[in-house]
Amino acid sequence: MLRHFFPSVSIKSRIVILVSTLFIVSIWVLAAQVTAVMQRDLRELIDSQISSTVDYLAHDLDQHFNQRMSGLKSIAAEITPDMLHRPATLQRFLDEHGFESSVLEMDLTVANPAGRIIAAHPRDVHRPGEPLRTQQYVLDATASDGLIIGSPVAATAGQPGYIPLAIPLRNAAGIVVAFLVDRFMPAEQKLFTSLTLPAIGHTGYFLLVSP
């Protein structure tokens, strides 16, 4: 075949051409294999970094939520049945505990079993006698023995979205006589800023969704 294509090329030259061709092909094959290995290693490295970042963010969010829930439970434990019959006393109590040193600023509301507000902090957001914006989490809290985290409430034209935390307040007989609610508004808190700090390339981002 070589004689047919290269009738005037010597055997020595043919061998040089053949060896050179094999060398170039082997270089191409080696380069392709090295590129594939580097791409795989880079992909594994990126996956590992993203996984580590997600674990860190999840732990940070979980820690903040636990801290907030702990603060809400401690406030609920100090609300007595007598306070529920004295709105002015209950209002002063909420104003004093609206800022807990161990948690972020809290949006506190105490509502009766019918979902009507008794007292709230801050005062300019809620008014006594008004109904809670949504009461599904109140119903969920009624069936619960402790604190519950309700489904996120979507923002409207006049109200920001929030995540409700509710805990039932019971009397000595175990009957639910009121609810303590903390409306956690991600748009106004510093908690979720941790999601915007890490960057994934130029366009990547982290997304927190409700289960």
Side-chain angles (χ1 to χ4, degrees):
M1 182 177 293
L2 290 176
R3 182 178 300 175
H4 175 74
F5 286 106
F6 307 105
S8 61
V9 178
S10 65
I11 296 297
K12 182 178 180 180
S13 298
R14 295 173 185 176
I15 293 175
V16 171
I17 293 173
L18 179 60
V19 171
S20 300
T21 301
L22 292 176
F23 177 76
I24 294 174
V25 171
S26 65
I27 290 296
W28 284 347
V29 172
L30 178 62
Q33 292 178 340
V34 170
T35 301
V37 171
M38 292 180 64
Q39 288 178 341
R40 184 192 64 196
D41 292 344
L42 181 60
R43 183 170 58 252
E44 291 177 353
L45 177 62
I46 293 175
D47 290 344
S48 177
Q49 289 180 337
I50 293 177
S51 178
S52 298
T53 304
V54 169
D55 289 341
Y56 169 77
L57 292 175
H59 175 74
D60 185 57
L61 292 174
D62 186 62
Q63 188 175 35
H64 279 293
F65 266 106
N66 287 333
Q67 199 173 32
R68 195 177 190 93
M69 289 188 293
S70 177
L72 191 63
K73 289 178 181 178
S74 65
I75 293 174
E78 295 185 43
I79 297 178
T80 64
D82 182 64
M83 288 183 184
L84 299 177
H85 297 289
R86 299 175 182 272
T89 301
L90 181 60
Q91 183 63 59
R92 286 195 299 271
F93 174 81
L94 294 182
D95 289 339
E96 293 172 359
H97 291 76
F99 293 89
E100 290 289 316
S101 59
S102 60
V103 295
L104 299 170
E105 181 182 355
M106 306 182 79
D107 184 299
L108 301 173
T109 301
V110 176
N112 62 24
R116 295 283 175 176
I117 297 174
I118 301 174
H121 171 87
R123 303 189 190 192
D124 58 346
V125 176
H126 314 283
R127 294 181 181 179
E130 288 183 346
L132 294 173
R133 182 172 160 191
T134 179
Q135 300 185 19
Q136 181 57 50
Y137 58 87
V138 172
L139 298 177
D140 294 339
T142 302
S144 173
D145 293 330
L147 186 147
I148 64 103
I149 300 177
S151 299
V153 178
T156 62
Q159 295 286 340
Y162 63 90
I163 301 173
L165 285 72
I167 185 169
L169 304 176
R170 303 177 185 272
N171 59 17
I175 300 174
V176 176
V177 293
F179 299 93
L180 176 62
V181 178
D182 176 22
R183 299 193 319 159
F184 177 58
M185 291 169 281
E188 299 179 6
Q189 301 289 354
K190 299 178 180 179
L191 175 58
F192 290 101
T193 54
S194 58
L195 291 174
T196 63
L197 296 179
I200 306 177
H202 295 289
T203 60
Y205 57 90
F206 292 96
L207 182 65
L208 182 67
V209 299
S210 174

